[in-house]
Amino acid sequence: MQTIDDLDVAGRRVLVRSDLNVPFDKSGSGEITDDGRIRASLPVIRALADRGARVVVMAHLGRPKGADFAECAAGGPSLAPVARRLSELLGQPVAFAADLVGPSAATIVAGLADGQVALLENVRFEPAETSKIEGERTVLAARLAGLGDLYVGDGFGVVHRKQASVYDLPALLPNAAGGLIAAEVAVLRRLTQEPRRPYVVVLGGSKVSDKLGVIGNLLGLADRLLIGGGMTYTFLAALGYEVGTSLLEADQIDSCQALLAQAAERGVEIVLPTDIVVAPRFAPDAPATVVAADAIPADQMGLDIGPASRDLFVSKLADAKTVFWNGPMGVFEFPAFAAGTRAVAEALTKLDALTVVGGGDSAAAVRSFGLADSDFGHISTGGGASLEYLEGKTLPGLTALGA
């Protein structure tokens, strides 16, 4: 896998696939609530510009809907606010193209001077970007290739996707991996190749179905798995417990039972919450009470792990030498149900260990609590990509870069 140090970029148009898929305030204010992914993308963009490249950044935002560019663009979301924030962080203007491979992009790219930066509109406004039909992706990739001389892949959050700007485009231009992807791969290798022990994995989030594969694979790697978040309730149901109106994937109960049995056979400790913070409805002002994990009332839903569980999880992390955490322990966006996630985050900052936060909501939670990225060994920019790597899957975007 080549890096940007292997490319002669001065005076050349360098297409950089970044991951700028940042969250926005849900009130519709247009405010970016966590610019961590933009900040993580800065080093490669700045390094290329400093070396005289004409940097053309590509990225996606959200999941646009529509049959063509016009329909997708009308529904949004546009990368225009991201361009403004990128300009502020870089300390230099970032030209923004109102399309991806149309006249605006062509004009913007043609007008770049050495060291200047442009951002193209949301790559997913072009339906071919995410098409399952290879020929459609190839046509879009060829049009993108016409805008550049070199390609740099630096969006780790999308390397698990076989998409035009991630998988098909690198085959058409001399390419290299950016420092962000190189760093992510290096950390994930430490998690999968002779990790320091005890190796503890903390998994949360909403759906157990999203993490069945990674749990199965980690049973051969980790010493201990801590389970929280919405996925907790399917595991509790697998033990025969009432889970009330909590998030439940009934069709995954058998799979959870099988995983629990497999863990017992392999000597891997699975730690489930012993108490739960419940409420009658999903709302920030819902009255919260604490109940035992095996005594959730039928009319209540679990929204966080309880205080005894927080202490239990912290104790199970205390001796760890390697930790991977993906997924919050509860609805951390609501202060009344954020204590479990905060307890895990703060515990990780006190360990003498490699601590890896697996991106997505976990990274957003860390920053919402006022914790610094430097408090952790590594904060990934790709939650889904990290999970698929740990699951043992081949990631198309890495394959395209020769990794």
Side-chain angles (χ1 to χ4, degrees), residues 165-230:
S165 67
V166 177
Y167 178 74
D168 303 278
L169 179 54
L172 304 179
L173 294 171
N175 62 75
L180 185 56
I181 280 185
E184 294 273 8
V185 171
V187 168
L188 288 170
R189 284 177 177 162
R190 292 178 66 186
L191 293 178
T192 55
Q193 299 175 12
E194 300 183 3
R196 293 177 65 207
R197 298 187 181 279
Y199 179 12
V200 181
V201 175
V202 186
L203 294 176
S206 57
K207 294 183 178 180
V208 70
S209 57
D210 292 341
K211 295 184 170 75
L212 281 175
V214 72
I215 293 173
N217 200 46
L218 286 171
L219 290 180
L221 289 170
D223 300 300
R224 193 178 300 144
L225 271 68
L226 280 52
I227 305 293

Side-chain angles (χ1 to χ4, degrees), residues 232-238 240-249 253 278 293-302:
T232 298
Y233 308 104
T234 304
F235 274 97
L236 293 179
Y241 299 163
E242 167 69 52
V243 296
T245 59
S246 306
L247 184 63
L248 173 67
E249 291 183 279
I253 290 176
V278 299
D294 60 355
I296 298 175
D299 62 347
Q300 299 278 307
M301 64 175 62

Side-chain angles (χ1 to χ4, degrees), residues 50-61:
D50 288 348
R51 289 169 56 191
R54 303 176 183 190
V55 184
V56 182
V57 182
M58 304 168 294
H60 76 279
L61 186 62

Side-chain angles (χ1 to χ4, degrees), residues 226-227 271-277 289-294 304-317 329 339-340 343-344:
L226 280 52
I227 305 293
V271 182
L272 292 169
T274 58
D275 61 344
I276 302 292
V277 181
T289 55
V290 178
V291 300
D294 60 355
D304 194 12
I305 62 174
S309 300
R310 298 197 297 267
D311 292 343
L312 173 64
F313 280 27
V314 170
S315 71
K316 293 295 184 179
L317 287 164
M329 300 294 98
V344 168

